[in-house]
Structures are given as C-alpha cells and as structure tokens.
Amino acid sequence: MSDIQIKKVGLEDIADLQSIGRQTFAETFSEGNSEEDMKQYLEEKFSVSQLKSELSDDNSMFYFALVDTNIVGYLKVNLGNSQTEIKDKNALEIERIYVIKDFHGKSVAKHLYNKAIEIAESKNVDYVWLGVWEENARAISFYKKNNFLEFDKHIFKLGNDEQTDIMMKLHLNK
C-alpha cells in the first residue's frame, strides 16, 4: 500500500470534509441506527455552516488521511473550551477518527491516532480523552490496544436516539 499522508484541513477543503464525514459516519453507524436518525444527524453535524464553524475554531483541528491523492479518513481534535464535554485546559479530546471501510486494517486509523498524540504532546496536555459508542467494539478494541482506559460514560444523541458512549482516557508521560 502507498504511504499514508496526513494533511491539515482548511476552509477550502469543506466540501471534501463534508463528503468524507458523511460517508464514514454512515458506513460506521447505519447498520445499528434508524434511517431517520442517521439522516437528521448527517444533515445537522455535516452541514456546510456547522463544518465552517468548526473549521474556524482555533481550538479544533481537522486532518485528512490521504493515500495517493484520495482522502481515506479524517481526524478531529479539540482543546480547551472546544472539547465536547470535559473542558480541561490540560486535555485534548479526540472527537473523531473515521476511516473509509475499504481502508480498515491498513494502518490509516493508527496514522490519524499518532497525529492526535503528536498534537497532544506539542500542546503539553496531561491526557487525551474520547467517547466511543458502547456498541463499536472495533473502536473500543483499538483504543484499549493503545492503552486507553475506561473512566466514565455519557449520553450521545443520534437524531432522537440517546446512546451510551464509553469515555476513555490516556495519561501522557511527561
């Protein structure tokens, strides 16, 4: 397989971000959710105005994973008050790591994860945290393999459906 490149996403990439975001979220969660809830979530969370707002936030960063010139996954991290739940200035949230299904098992997620850890270390945060759907065994396994520990749960709303996310944390060695 070709080298995986990581590229910071800018406002000029909004159409590509919307496309990869909708595709990977649908591939990951359509099977376990209603069509109506999925449609509502995809329209709200991946609208141009929502993505423009997130891309304009200095405490949120997006990165594409590219194979050749094809976008095959993406990462979103948040710092400070842009974190979705824990607003600890000494923490970094991995809000999203998503990879196109055809590229699962090809180290794309690992490259995106490594970028998140690199950012966390450069910002000198104490820990990295995230929420992962309790039914997403693949993602839970990935994070456990990377030394994340479960520490809490929270509710994630997908359309009208309230789902439980497992919150996981990785303390960084300083």
Side-chain angles (χ1 to χ4, degrees), residues 55-82:
L55 282 166
S56 299
D57 182 343
D58 290 338
N59 285 319
S60 291
M61 292 162 272
F62 288 87
Y63 292 86
F64 287 143
L66 300 139
V67 172
D68 299 320
T69 57
N70 302 310
I71 300 166
V72 297
Y74 79 106
L75 163 72
K76 181 184 182 200
V77 296
N78 300 311
L79 294 158
N81 288 331
S82 296

Side-chain angles (χ1 to χ4, degrees), residues 11-41:
L11 283 168
E12 68 280 4
D13 301 309
I14 204 160
D16 290 332
L17 180 59
Q18 183 181 53
S19 176
I20 191 74
R22 285 180 172 166
Q23 177 184 349
T24 55
F25 194 89
E27 285 179 352
T28 305
F29 299 111
S30 286
E31 191 175 302
N33 292 285
S34 76
E35 188 176 328
E36 183 179 301
D37 285 338
M38 286 296 296
K39 185 175 189 281
Q40 180 183 343
Y41 185 87

Side-chain angles (χ1 to χ4, degrees), residues 54 76-78 82 84 93-98 129 131:
E54 292 176 21
K76 181 184 182 200
V77 296
N78 300 311
S82 296
T84 58
E93 174 191 18
I94 297 176
E95 185 177 349
R96 300 180 193 147
I97 291 181
Y98 287 105
W129 72 275

Side-chain angles (χ1 to χ4, degrees), residues 90-107:
N90 291 317
L92 177 133
E93 174 191 18
I94 297 176
E95 185 177 349
R96 300 180 193 147
I97 291 181
Y98 287 105
V99 176
I100 291 174
K101 213 171 228 169
D102 289 347
F103 286 85
H104 284 185
K106 297 184 178 174
S107 298

